């Protein structure tokens, strides 16, 4: 059996300049730290190629090459078939809103779109608004006992009028990974398409849109080690069918430009190359000297193994406390949980606990994390909502131990923190 590749954490942490300011960053699901290589790409574009594409002169031609290089890097990152299947945008929320707008001419009154109660609002709100145009919205419920999405619950919702099913790849509260290929096969067999929000998945696991058979797949670069930007994969033939969001002379065949009104932010798109360079370097350091894509695969094998250790370290601590409720699975069975862990303590206000952790220079978050429908569905909105620790591969076991030691002090009353009323 082949040995699992390991991460050189010293090298990893050296690639993130923001890690060296005295803070432990456990709010990575809100936004990860940015790679040095991504920053370098941004700066090099702004210094060397900061002009509009489409000109005949050399600098403009080089700017266009940089944008194509960015799409090519993103193609390798998600395993798309061609660079033109990559659409850039300001955020996952904006990209999904744009997708919903661009799909309107395909949807007739009475057509149906299915969303899940467990999604971030980004993948619910844009589809909900289409009800004003006569589209019918249906909600795929979460099984309250298992906290999973069951195809048996999706089956009765689907009909001959179902056009699209929208689902998250991993919940930003539950941390659980949904079986996207299984869902895709189910949806496609019934004549509908699948739109996946991968914001909580892409920083942690290998993305392979061809293996997943997703029709649309969206995530944020600022949660995947880049700047505040995002990308959407769309199957090329589907992108051709979408309405143009740009000027009237951008025809339906102008893919992906017709979906990037005003053009993408070139320098932020170009940062994607820095993200891919970094992942390919991790793969090479683990012994893979193959293609860019194969090195990315090796990198995520090492990332997953390290993150599994982080996940278990924190879950084992939380399980040991009789005053703690873990939201979602309390064990990482089959590596089907990303290191995004939400929890509550009996009678404690999440906002107060978070404020106490601020004083320890540990960054985390409380609330509903913009998955409000799920928080309401599970009755988790009182006492400030939930606490959430969201780790990525640059975090360390020592940081987890520092966090749990601080939490012990806070919960024992050493800080004078009062219980919630």
């Amino acid at each position: 059996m082949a040995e699992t590749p390991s991460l050189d954490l010293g090298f990893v942490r050296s690639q993130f300049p923001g890690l060296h300011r005295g803070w432990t960053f456990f709010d990575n699901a809100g936004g990860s730290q940015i790679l040095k290589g991504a920053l370098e790409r941004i700066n090099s574009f702004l210094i060397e190629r900061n002009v509009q594409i489409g000109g005949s002169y050399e600098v403009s031609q080089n700017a266009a090459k940089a944008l194509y290089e960015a799409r090519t890097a993103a193609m390798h990152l998600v395993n798309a078939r061609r660079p033109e299947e990559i659409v850039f945008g300001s955020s996952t929320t904006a990209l999904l809103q744009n997708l919903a707008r661009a799909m309107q001419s395909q949807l007739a009154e009475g057509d149906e779109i299915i969303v899940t109660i467990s999604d971030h609002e980004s993948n619910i709100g844009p589809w909900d608004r289409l009800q004003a145009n006569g589209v019918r919205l249906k909600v795929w419920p979460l099984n309250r006992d298992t906290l999973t999405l069951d195809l048996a619950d999706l089956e009765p919702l689907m009909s001959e009028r179902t056009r699209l099913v929208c689902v998250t790849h991993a919940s930003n509260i539950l941390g659980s990974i949904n079986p996207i290929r299984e869902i895709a096969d189910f949806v496609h067999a019934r004549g509908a398409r699948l739109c996946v929000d991968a914001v909580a998945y892409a920083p942690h696991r290998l993305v392979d849109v061809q293996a997943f058979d997703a029709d649309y797949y969206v995530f944020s670069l600022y949660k995947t080690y880049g700047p505040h930007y995002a990308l959407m994969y769309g199957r090329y033939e589907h992108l051709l069918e979408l309405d143009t969001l740009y000027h009237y002379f951008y025809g339906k065949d102008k893919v992906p430009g017709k979906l990037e009104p005003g053009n993408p932010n070139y320098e932020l798109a170009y940062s994607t190359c820095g993200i891919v360079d970094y992942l390919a370097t991790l793969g090479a350091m683990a012994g893979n000297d193959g293609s860019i894509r194969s090195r990315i695969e090796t990198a995520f094998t090492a990332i997953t193994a390290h993150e599994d250790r982080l996940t278990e370290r924190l879950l084992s601590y939380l399980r040991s406390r009789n005053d703690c409720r873990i939201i979602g699975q309390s064990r990482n069975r089959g590596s089907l949980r990303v290191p995004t862990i939400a929890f509550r303590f009996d009678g404690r206000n999440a906002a107060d606990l978070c404020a106490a952790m601020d004083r320890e220079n540990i960054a985390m978050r409380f609330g509903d994390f913009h998955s409000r429908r799920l928080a309401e569905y599970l009755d988790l909105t009182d006492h400030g909502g939930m606490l959430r620790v969201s780790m990525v591969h640059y975090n360390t076991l020592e940081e987890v131990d520092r966090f749990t030691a601080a939490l012990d002090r806070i919960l024992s009353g050493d800080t004078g923190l009062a219980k919630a009323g």
Side-chain angles (χ1 to χ4, degrees):
M1 185 174 178
E3 184 178 347
T4 301
S6 60
L7 289 177
D8 180 340
L9 278 176
F11 171 79
V12 166
R13 290 179 66 84
S14 75
Q15 300 305 298
F16 293 89
L19 293 180
H20 309 293
R21 294 183 292 122
W23 280 84
T24 292
F25 289 105
F26 277 173
D27 186 27
N28 295 288
S32 65
Q33 294 297 294
I34 191 170
L35 278 160
K36 179 168 60 176
L39 284 169
E40 290 169 348
R41 291 284 184 153
I42 293 169
N43 289 337
S44 70
F45 186 95
L46 289 173
I47 294 167
E48 300 167 9
R49 315 188 197 195
N50 191 28
V51 298
Q52 180 63 279
I53 65 172
S56 60
Y57 58 98
E58 182 182 7
V59 182
S60 180
Q61 295 294 311
N62 287 338
K65 289 176 183 176
L67 180 57
Y68 190 78
E69 186 181 344
R71 295 197 202 279
T72 302
M75 176 192 72
H76 292 308
L77 182 61
V78 305
N79 198 30
R81 296 164 186 80
R82 53 194 292 181
E84 294 80 8
E85 292 184 317
I86 302 300
V87 180
F88 287 112
S90 60
S91 65
T92 294
T93 298
L95 283 169
L96 287 167
Q97 289 178 355
N98 283 348
L99 179 60
R101 286 173 53 215
M103 200 177 285
Q104 286 189 51
S105 70
Q106 300 177 27
L107 299 170
E109 186 172 352
D111 282 349
E112 299 167 355
I113 292 176
I114 298 172
V115 299
T116 83
I117 197 68
S118 59
D119 266 63
H120 188 284
E121 189 63 19
S122 293
N123 204 22
I124 300 176
W127 312 112
D128 186 24
R129 293 186 194 99
L130 291 179
Q131 292 193 90
N133 298 336
V135 173
R136 186 181 179 197
L137 193 77
K138 295 181 176 180
V139 179
W140 181 4
L142 189 75
N143 184 306
R144 289 181 183 273
D145 296 325
T146 64
L147 296 180
T148 59
L149 292 170
D150 295 339
L151 292 177
D153 294 324
L154 176 60
E155 174 77 59
L157 298 176
M158 298 200 69
S159 75
E160 59 186 18
R161 298 299 299 271
T162 304
R163 299 291 176 259
L164 187 71
V165 175
C166 305
V167 67
T168 184
H169 202 153
S171 167
N172 74 331
I173 288 179
L174 304 173
S176 51
I177 298 173
N178 290 317
I180 292 301
R181 181 53 190 256
E182 184 181 354
I183 295 170
D185 289 345
F186 185 92
V187 168
H188 291 155
R190 289 154 181 79
R193 293 178 183 173
L194 184 68
C195 176
V196 181
D197 174 355
V199 167
Y201 179 90
H204 308 289
R205 303 296 172 87
L206 181 72
V207 172
D208 189 338
V209 293
Q210 293 190 60
F212 301 153
D213 204 20
D215 297 292
Y216 303 103
Y217 195 90
V218 194
F219 61 92
S220 298
L221 292 177
Y222 71 94
K223 301 181 182 184
T224 316
Y225 319 118
H228 201 106
Y229 213 48
L231 67 82
M232 177 178 77
Y233 157 82
R235 195 185 297 268
Y236 187 74
E237 54 269 31
H238 297 343
L239 297 182
L240 284 172
E241 296 173 0
L242 296 173
D243 303 336
T244 182
L245 301 178
Y246 212 167
H247 304 309
Y248 76 92
F249 46 82
Y250 274 63
K252 282 207 166 189
D253 61 340
K254 195 170 179 61
V255 173
K258 69 177 185 179
L259 302 170
E260 298 170 330
N263 291 334
N265 182 309
Y266 304 136
E267 64 270 21
L268 299 189
Y270 194 46
S271 74
T272 311
C273 301
I275 298 169
V276 168
D277 287 347
Y278 166 73
L279 293 169
T281 297
L282 290 186
M285 291 176 69
N288 187 331
D289 59 358
S291 67
I292 292 174
R293 177 64 189 180
S294 70
R295 281 180 276 153
I296 292 172
E297 292 171 355
T298 298
F300 273 104
T301 299
I303 285 170
T304 299
H306 176 64
E307 290 189 349
D308 281 348
R309 288 188 286 272
L310 296 174
T311 301
E312 178 53 31
R313 186 73 141 238
L314 181 54
L315 285 177
S316 65
Y317 166 83
L318 297 175
R319 288 195 306 265
S320 73
R321 298 193 62 102
N322 59 15
D323 58 348
C324 179
R325 175 186 174 188
I326 299 170
I327 312 303
Q329 301 301 319
S330 62
R331 297 181 184 275
N332 186 21
R333 295 182 178 88
S335 192
L336 292 176
R337 209 188 200 289
V338 298
T340 299
I341 302 169
F343 49 96
R344 309 221 306 173
F345 288 98
D346 297 342
R348 298 284 188 168
N349 185 282
D352 291 342
L353 290 171
C354 219
M357 203 60 73
D358 293 344
R359 294 189 286 273
E360 302 280 345
N361 273 27
I362 296 174
M364 56 183 301
R365 191 167 292 265
F366 72 94
D368 58 34
F369 323 114
H370 288 187
S371 292
R372 182 164 299 176
R373 298 178 202 244
L374 176 58
E376 292 173 346
Y377 184 74
L378 298 176
D379 297 322
L380 295 171
T381 57
D382 60 336
H383 299 317
M386 294 157 277
L387 292 162
R388 186 182 69 183
V389 166
S390 49
M391 299 173 284
V392 291
H393 70 285
Y394 55 60
N395 289 123
T396 67
L397 292 172
E398 290 75 18
E399 287 180 319
V400 178
D401 293 343
R402 191 166 87 81
F403 168 76
T404 56
L407 198 52
D408 278 338
R409 289 195 304 274
I410 293 165
L411 292 169
S412 70
D414 287 354
T415 62
L417 185 67
K419 286 194 174 185

